């Protein structure tokens, strides 16, 4: 058995290494690829993806997984968790016919190109027929896992193991009831943020962001920070977790918040137990758990008063012309201004979940056949008005704003909102556990928070199913959206 | 047949893509890898190399290669050249037992670490036993291809198809006779290059080098220039050919010459017919041919008076404090100063080949068993004295200076000297073909040279065996070292 297990681990490590090479092809594509090399790189990505798929679904791997019984290993052991995870993934992957995989690949490649054109023309109708085909294929994909209570469940499960549409509805219900009202109330407050709309030197913003993430605990010996159009985090193993960010001269805190957000993802990966490296357990417990870490550092930390108490003097010093006459309190209020707007990625803490719920409801409508793809733009605009009181100026900043649907990523969006909720729960657990947490942060002692997260969240990687991990941290298995609402109301009532 | 050929091309393209991914892992390792990620990256490189090896020696590939007959395709066709090349490579690879491959890999990994330690201690004896084991394994490798006139021939053939030790001896004989004497004579001339030993800002050197290679024709849309410790060129397909360089504040032309050298390699790759992309023909005809292109641009161009007639004013303007009072002629003479020295990579045009011949003779002695590895350092020092009149201060700058032997790269060094010789021949052909070539270069019209090289050398990639390609360019199949000697004497008599 030990020999078989070692054989299995070698196969799994090989797949891990090839995935790392694939991730490097993709990282380099965003960061350093020469303009003329796009086609060559696309071919390389396709080829390597094919090799990885073949190895991940190989009969040899399947036989080893079959032979080894999770129950033969101690409860709570890494071996048992690894076998369970491998069984789950292998079974799921092998249920999908190769033909459907390649149809999806071709359809989404075409759809992505159409989405780019539609955005340029600000015309959703150019994208609608492609979306209809994707929805059809995603329905077929989901049906492979029938019976399921909702057609949405198997899709959601790809990102959030075990999560269901019914559970989502339960979790989102209080948000739907309270968040829109809260936003309307907060958005009426007078704004004083003109000083944020001056020009801020990009290199200085980047340098400041670099200093901050270093202070938060990001390990540059096992990572890098580079510039890209869209910020992201990628990992080539636990010793190489890279983040990227973007700089906008006229959005002075956007670079910082993006970098801290990605840093939150990276701290998670850098904190995983090295014993799990080169296995599928060497990643976050789920997409929502991953997002809980990026959002916690971005919102509960980098949009907080304690954070700016510590960092504002340095920030002000970097931008004396723009901020010399701006007090910490004015600055803090400006950074936390609530402005319902069209664009999800620029949304503040109070409005963010509304963007997600809108997308979730539309995805569900598309997949259940209640909303034809051809009519999606109208539904989008109506919901935007209902939830945020905003009507998009054009499809480009409306229904076409996100890339996800063009790539076939249905079931992904809800993990963003779940991440916010889990983040608030973990934040509460940290406040209960770490004495004087906020005072420590205001003194620049970010290590206390990182150590809490390392011990309670990060080190476990994907060893536990999300509800089990949540219970270990918070004492409750199911996600509790009330804690997020309480946090939000508390924060804004003090502003 | 067409179907089988398409199948073969698809397999070959897949291997090409995986090799590109491997090359990216290695490029990133030199350029951007975080310090703590070395082990993870080594594992990724090993895994991907294994996948590539398996695919390159797969029975399926072998059967297709067997089935398809080169003679069924028109003479001079790409198909025929590709099949011949694939047969040759496949046969060679499949002659080597997997056990020997892994023994070599393990032995050289250990030897490389020992070489690093030996350099630090300046003590060759720490490396000698490792070298002895490598020589033994390389002998065993060469014997797989018995009978061959020399044990050296199969090793040489890996880098320079068809080249033999006997042919090398014929080619090197005139160099051995004349070059050492020429060097002694040139080295006695008085030097006037104190101004080169001032401090030159590194960023300015890099910026100037970037300008120069752009002007020479390096296509930044299909490439990049980055900094590394040791400059190199790598290619991920014809649309992504990257170069790296290094900056030394106290060697002001070293960055430029290194960059131009790598640019020469890159111009070759960027000039290959796109129809050959994703096949093994999409590379240089041989190592010597590749080196002929880097050396031609580095020496015949970037160390020439016409080159500096055009570029010196800009260079002087970048460094007014250091060069404001230095005339073009003084500068040109300083750049071409002949100084026999210990280090190959810093050697001038007149002494370079002597460094190579020394290594070739020692390699041959090791492989033929005439020189025991334990006595190599003594032989090295004696030969250095004989050829260059220099005795190394220590093993670190003597027998341990190059990385090649620690990696098992026997048969590689001669291609550097062959590159110099082929470069001189191609340069002569260019001078005969392009009217007023040197005047054009002095006017900054480097395109005329690039176009000649594109048409006569680059576009063919590895379609022709090296002697066939040489004949197409120069009219002669065998390498003529006299042309290099004539070039050298002509250059230095005018100095």
């Amino acid at each position: 058995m030990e020999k078989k297990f070692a054989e299995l681990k070698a196969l799994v490590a090989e797949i891990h290494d090839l995935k790392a090479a694939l991730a490097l092809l993709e990282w380099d594509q965003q960061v350093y690829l020469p303009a003329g090399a796009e086609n060559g790189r696309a071919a390389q990505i396709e080829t390597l993806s094919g090799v990885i798929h073949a190895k991940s679904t190989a009969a040899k791997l399947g036989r080893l997984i079959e032979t080894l019984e999770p129950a033969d290993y101690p409860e709570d052991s890494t071996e048992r968790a690894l076998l369970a995870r491998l069984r789950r993934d292998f079974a799921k992957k092998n249920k999908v016919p190769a033909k459907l995989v390649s149809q999806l690949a071709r359809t989404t490649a075409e759809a992505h190109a159409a989405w780019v054109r539609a955005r340029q023309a600000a015309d959703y109708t150019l994208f609608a027929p492609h979306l209809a085909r994707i929805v059809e294929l995603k329905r077929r994909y989901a049906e492979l896992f029938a019976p399921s209570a909702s057609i949405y469940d198997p899709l959601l499960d790809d990102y959030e193991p075990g999560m269901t549409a019914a559970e989502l509805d339960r979790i989102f219900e209080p948000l739907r009831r309270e968040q829109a009202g809260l936003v309307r109330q907060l958005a009426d407050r007078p704004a004083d943020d003109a000083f944020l709309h001056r020009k801020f030197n990009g290199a200085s913003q980047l340098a400041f962001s670099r200093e901050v993430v270093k202070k938060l605990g990001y390990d540059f010996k096992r990572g890098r920070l580079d510039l890209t159009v869209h910020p992201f985090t990628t990992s080539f193993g636990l010793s190489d977790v890279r983040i990227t960010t973007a700089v906008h001269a006229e959005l002075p805190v956007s670079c910082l918040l993006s970098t801290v957000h990605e840093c939150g993802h990276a701290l998670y990966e850098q904190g995983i137990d090295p014993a799990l490296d080169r296995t599928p357990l060497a990643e976050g417990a789920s997409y929502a758990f991953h997002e809980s870490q990026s959002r916690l550092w971005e919102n509960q930390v980098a949009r907080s008063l304690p954070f700016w108490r510590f960092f504002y003097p340095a920030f002000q010093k970097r931008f004396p012309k723009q901020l010399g006459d701006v007090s910490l309190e004015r600055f803090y209020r400006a950074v936390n201004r609530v402005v319902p707007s069209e664009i999800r990625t620029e949304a503040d803490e109070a409005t963010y979940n509304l963007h997600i719920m809108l997308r979730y409801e539309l995805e569900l409508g598309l997949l259940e056949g209640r909303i034809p793809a051809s009519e999606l733009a109208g539904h989008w605009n109506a919901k935007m008005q209902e939830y945020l009181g905003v009507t998009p100026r054009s499809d480009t900043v409306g229904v076409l704003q996100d890339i996800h649907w063009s790539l076939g990523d249905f079931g992904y969006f809800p993990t963003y909102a779940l991440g916010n909720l889990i983040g608030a729960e973990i934040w509460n657990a940290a406040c209960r556990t770490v004495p004087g947490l906020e005072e420590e942060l205001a003194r620049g002692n970010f290590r206390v928070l990182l150590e809490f997260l390392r011990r309670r969240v990060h080190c476990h990687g994907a060893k536990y199913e999300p509800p089990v991990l949540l219970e270990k941290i918070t004492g409750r298995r199911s996600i509790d959206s009330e804690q997020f609402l309480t946090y939000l109301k508390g924060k804004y009532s003090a502003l």
Side-chain angles (χ1 to χ4, degrees), chain A:
Chain A
M1 199 168 80
E2 279 321 295
K3 209 180 135 227
K4 292 245 180 254
F5 193 83
E7 223 178 297
L8 178 66
K9 274 199 83 171
L11 282 186
V12 158
E14 191 184 34
I15 294 169
H16 175 278
D17 287 340
L18 296 174
K19 281 184 177 169
L22 178 63
L24 181 64
L25 289 171
E26 290 167 340
W27 174 84
D28 180 81
Q29 185 180 36
Q30 303 300 321
V31 183
Y32 290 119
L33 194 73
E38 274 294 346
N39 290 341
R41 181 53 51 90
Q44 292 150 16
I45 287 173
E46 194 184 329
T47 294
L48 191 53
S49 303
V51 171
I52 292 167
H53 181 78
K55 290 199 180 273
S56 305
T57 53
K60 191 179 166 193
L61 179 65
R63 275 194 305 272
L64 280 169
I65 292 173
E66 275 297 303
T67 315
L68 292 157
E69 187 57 55
D72 288 347
Y73 293 86
E75 194 144 4
D76 214 38
S77 69
T78 305
E79 287 82 357
R80 187 163 175 165
L82 179 61
L83 287 175
R85 165 69 181 254
L86 287 170
R87 281 194 170 192
R88 177 183 184 279
D89 288 356
F90 192 82
K92 241 191 139 167
K93 269 218 178 72
N94 272 279
K95 261 207 172 154
V96 188
K99 205 183 148 197
L100 182 56
V101 173
S102 63
Q103 267 179 317
L104 260 166
R106 208 173 330 112
T107 306
T108 52
E110 286 165 15
H112 179 256
W115 173 74
V116 171
R117 286 195 302 276
R119 272 171 68 89
Q120 278 158 358
D123 181 358
Y124 170 73
T125 62
L126 298 177
F127 177 58
H130 296 272
L131 184 62
R133 274 194 289 280
I134 291 178
V135 169
E136 181 45 37
L137 291 174
K138 293 307 276 191
R139 282 186 59 86
R140 256 198 269 163
Y141 173 87
E143 280 158 8
L144 296 170
F145 304 93
S148 61
S150 162
I151 184 91
Y152 198 73
D153 292 350
L155 303 173
L156 193 52
D157 183 78
D158 282 348
Y159 306 101
E160 207 54 31
M163 180 56 68
T164 62
E167 176 71 356
L168 272 190
D169 289 334
R170 181 196 67 73
I171 294 166
F172 285 172
E173 200 275 324
L175 303 182
R176 198 174 287 118
R177 210 174 48 225
E178 298 196 40
Q179 219 172 330
L182 181 68
V183 164
R184 227 160 297 147
Q185 180 190 327
L186 293 169
D188 284 342
R189 296 194 184 173
D192 167 26
D193 64 354
F195 52 87
L196 286 186
H197 300 291
R198 298 168 188 162
K199 289 230 174 200
F200 288 71
N201 175 275
S204 292
Q205 284 188 49
L206 185 62
F208 181 73
S209 300
R210 193 177 290 274
E211 256 171 52
V212 169
V213 295
K214 200 164 177 191
K215 184 82 186 157
L216 300 186
Y218 179 69
D219 181 358
F220 277 95
K221 281 203 207 72
R222 297 186 292 142
R224 306 180 40 84
L225 170 60
D226 295 271
L227 285 174
T228 45
V229 177
H230 301 288
F232 68 97
T233 301
T234 186
S235 160
F236 315 136
L238 302 182
S239 58
D240 194 354
V241 183
R242 304 186 184 185
I243 56 180
T244 74
T245 191
V247 165
H248 304 280
E250 282 153 32
L251 295 168
V253 278
S254 138
C255 171
L256 174 74
L257 292 173
S258 291
T259 316
V260 170
H261 178 101
E262 300 307 331
C263 173
H265 284 303
L267 290 173
Y268 196 170
E269 302 263 337
Q270 289 189 333
I272 294 171
D273 182 353
L276 303 177
D277 204 6
R278 299 179 82 212
T279 79
L281 302 185
E283 55 183 46
S286 70
Y287 279 72
F289 256 99
H290 233 305
E291 200 67 13
S292 80
Q293 296 307 290
S294 55
R295 298 294 280 178
L296 185 154
W297 286 99
E298 178 190 352
N299 292 332
Q300 274 84 354
V301 177
R303 289 190 214 252
S304 77
L305 193 54
F307 175 89
W308 287 109
R309 270 198 212 291
F310 181 75
F311 276 117
Y312 190 60
F315 195 62
Q316 207 176 18
K317 212 164 153 193
R318 278 199 181 262
F319 302 105
K321 268 198 300 189
Q322 298 90 333
L323 301 175
D325 59 345
V326 179
S327 70
L328 169 63
E329 287 68 23
R330 265 179 79 204
F331 179 80
Y332 169 66
R333 272 198 303 274
V335 165
N336 284 288
R337 200 185 150 197
V338 173
V339 192
S341 80
E342 298 152 326
I343 306 294
R344 174 183 61 85
T345 56
E346 291 164 14
D348 52 77
E349 277 181 277
T351 53
Y352 194 92
N353 286 343
L354 298 172
H355 287 272
I356 298 306
M357 288 190 293
L358 174 155
R359 285 158 178 75
Y360 163 59
E361 288 163 26
L362 297 181
E363 281 191 359
L364 203 58
L366 285 166
L367 287 160
E368 290 178 346
R370 287 180 286 107
I371 302 178
S374 58
E375 291 170 19
L376 187 66
H379 286 268
W380 178 284
N381 293 347
K383 273 264 176 247
M384 276 299 282
Q385 191 57 50
E386 179 191 342
Y387 279 175
L388 287 155
V390 168
T391 296
R393 286 158 298 159
S394 78
D395 290 344
T396 304
V397 292
V399 65
L400 292 172
Q401 71 181 265
D402 291 308
I403 196 175
H404 307 61
W405 289 335
S406 80
L407 303 176
D409 291 342
F410 282 79
Y412 185 108
F413 278 120
T415 67
Y416 288 137
L418 297 177
N420 283 329
L421 307 181
I422 296 173
E425 290 194 64
I426 293 175
W427 174 251
N428 283 347
C431 290
R432 286 194 305 271
T433 311
V434 181
L437 176 59
E438 297 200 275
E439 291 73 25
E440 293 294 337
L441 301 190
R443 275 201 289 274
N445 180 9
F446 297 95
R447 285 278 154 181
V448 289
L449 177 58
L450 181 59
E451 275 158 23
F452 172 85
L453 296 172
R454 284 257 152 101
R455 212 170 51 243
R456 304 290 290 273
V457 187
H458 301 175
C459 71
H460 303 305
K463 190 174 162 187
Y464 301 109
E465 296 282 301
V468 178
L469 180 58
L470 190 65
E471 188 180 23
K472 280 184 182 289
I473 304 163
T474 67
R476 284 179 48 131
R477 268 184 179 242
S478 59
I479 295 171
D480 171 19
S481 46
E482 290 299 340
Q483 292 190 44
F484 174 77
L485 285 169
T486 307
Y487 158 77
L488 214 55
K489 289 179 203 157
K491 172 163 188 170
Y492 285 101
S493 69
L495 257 166

